[in-house]
Structures are given as structure tokens and as C-alpha cells.
Amino acid sequence: MTDAPETRDKHWLVRPANIRKLTYVSAAVLAFVALLDVALEPHPAFGIDGTLFFYSWFGFVTCVAMVVLAKLLGIFLKRRDSYYDD
């Protein structure tokens, strides 16, 4: 099972087989952590953090909000390409 020379020279994170493996492993870890929420008894400090899969959906919503905020900030903070030419 010898890889082609162009595949062997690529970084291990760029090879398609490794990307597929990392995707499966990441999905399995995420599913395991989310399913732990069913097995463990919550001790909520607030009312909403005792809901099922709270930390999963809260983390996802927070991540999306940070990306949207960064895009909005980029609109207001970006400069022309020739900003430092003067």
C-alpha cells in the first residue's frame, strides 16, 4: 500500500484520507460529549442551563454570533488597500 509521491509529500493535515479520519473522529467526540448530557444530572445555576443539550446549542449559537460580529466589525474597521502608501 504505497502512496503516490505527490500524496506523501503533502502535510498530513492536507491529505484527503486524514481529513476524512479527522472528520469522523471529531464527529464521534462531539456526539459522545453531547450524549453525556443525557447521562449526567444537571445542576443548573439558572433555569435555562438545565435544559437538554444546553451547552451544545449555546456553544454553537455563541460561535455563530462571534463570527457575525466579527464580519460586522470588519465592515466598519477595514481600510483601503493603499492606506499606508501615503
Side-chain angles (χ1 to χ4, degrees), residues 43-75:
H43 298 285
F46 305 100
I48 195 168
D49 61 342
T51 60
L52 189 63
F53 302 122
F54 170 75
Y55 293 104
S56 299
W57 65 260
F58 181 74
F60 178 75
V61 169
T62 304
C63 181
V64 169
M66 287 190 301
V67 169
V68 169
L69 181 66
K71 291 290 188 179
L72 289 173
L73 279 173
I75 291 171

Side-chain angles (χ1 to χ4, degrees), residues 17-56:
N18 290 340
I19 292 173
R20 196 173 315 110
K21 290 175 190 174
L22 285 172
T23 301
Y24 291 145
V25 168
S26 298
V29 168
L30 286 173
F32 176 72
V33 170
L35 289 175
L36 278 177
D37 195 19
V38 177
L40 300 175
E41 180 183 350
H43 298 285
F46 305 100
I48 195 168
D49 61 342
T51 60
L52 189 63
F53 302 122
F54 170 75
Y55 293 104
S56 299

